[in-house]
Each structure stands twice: as structure tokens, then as C-alpha cells.
Amino acid sequence: MNQARARKLGDRIAKIVAEMLERRIKDPRLGFVTVTEARVTGDLREATVFYTVYGSDDEVAGTRAALASATGLIRSEVGKQTGLKHTPSISFSQDTIPDTARTIEDLVAKARAADARVAAVRVDAVPAGDPDPYRTPADDDDDIGDDDVEDDDMTEDDDDLGDDDVDDDEQ
């Protein structure tokens, strides 16, 4: 089926369910609920509504029970407002993204604190051994050439190389 149609229907179902929970469902077990998303299968037969609940574990369990008991009423209202030939069956699933995001934020805060501790220790730290353990180019030039070639080692044969050229020019 058309994925764009399923996405549009999911958005419409999320709005309808949010309005229903705000205005028409008067269950005292229903906590502070936010509908985050609704996903519809490609054949438009099933819809999963994702929600978050602000509160304790008891409030989350009460909200889950209230949504389960109101599923039939919500499905009939979705059918009336969408005008579909077959109203999708609705299931509710608690959205875990906020909890995951909170966990990630806590881990990032711990990493920042550890980095701050390392930075504080590093401020007065001194390197072990030489302050500059690497060789510099000036050190490399001094070592090369001292033992290999000396300027005084020129032989007499080296001096005579140019004499043949001079004799040819004189003649």
C-alpha cells in the first residue's frame, strides 16, 4: 500500500487519540499522558499509538489499564472521524524514547565530569623524562657527516683531474 497514506492516517489517529484523552476519557487512573506518535501498518488494518506518562510506576500502570479499557471507545471515534471503510484496530505502547534520552544525557554528564577531573589533574602535571623527548633537526645535522667524510682527506689524484683539460686548451 501507499506509505504516505499510512503516515497521514497515523498522524490523524494520533491527533484524534490525544483529543479523546484530553476531553472525553474521564478515567481517574489516567495520568499525565502525552501521545507521541501513531504508526499504521501498510494495509491500514492495525495502528499502534505510542504514549509517554509523567509520573511514578503506579501512575504508569494505572494509565496503561485506563488506555486498555478505553480502546473500544477510542477506536469507534477514530472510525467516525476518519471515515474509513475498515477502522484499524488500536493498540497502545509506552514510548521508551524519553527514558533512553534521559539515560544518554546522564552518561554524557558523567563523561563531562570525568573529563573535568582529568583536566584538573593535568593542569599542574609535568612530563616524565625529558621535557622534549623528540630529536630536533639541529641535533640531526650535528651527527651526520662527522665520521663519514673529512675535508682534509682529498688525495693528490683528485687535484690532477683538471690538469688534462688545461693542457688541451694551451695547445
Side-chain angles (χ1 to χ4, degrees), residues 13-15 17-19 21-22 30-38 48-55 59-60 63-64 67 92-98:
I13 289 174
K15 288 178 185 175
V17 171
E19 289 174 3
L21 293 176
E22 183 179 345
L30 196 62
F32 187 66
V33 180
T34 303
V35 175
T36 57
E37 181 182 15
T48 304
V49 178
F50 293 93
Y51 66 95
T52 59
V53 179
Y54 182 76
E59 292 173 335
V60 171
T63 300
R64 184 178 306 119
L67 290 173
F92 290 95
S93 178
Q94 187 173 1
D95 198 353
T96 59
I97 290 176

Side-chain angles (χ1 to χ4, degrees), residues 76-135:
S76 65
E77 187 64 27
V78 167
K80 288 178 190 174
Q81 289 192 23
T82 57
L84 294 173
K85 182 177 181 181
H86 176 76
T87 303
S89 61
I90 295 177
S91 63
F92 290 95
S93 178
Q94 187 173 1
D95 198 353
T96 59
I97 290 176
D99 294 332
T100 305
R102 191 174 309 111
T103 303
I104 290 172
E105 288 175 2
D106 291 343
L107 292 173
V108 168
K110 287 180 184 178
R112 284 188 182 141
D115 287 347
R117 286 192 303 270
V118 169
V121 170
R122 187 181 56 210
V123 169
D124 295 328
V126 196
D130 278 342
D132 186 16
Y134 301 103
R135 296 178 70 179

Side-chain angles (χ1 to χ4, degrees), residues 1-10 40 44 84:
M1 288 284 173
N2 189 357
Q3 293 298 322
R5 183 175 182 199
R7 192 172 32 256
K8 287 179 185 178
L9 182 60
V40 180
L44 307 179
L84 294 173

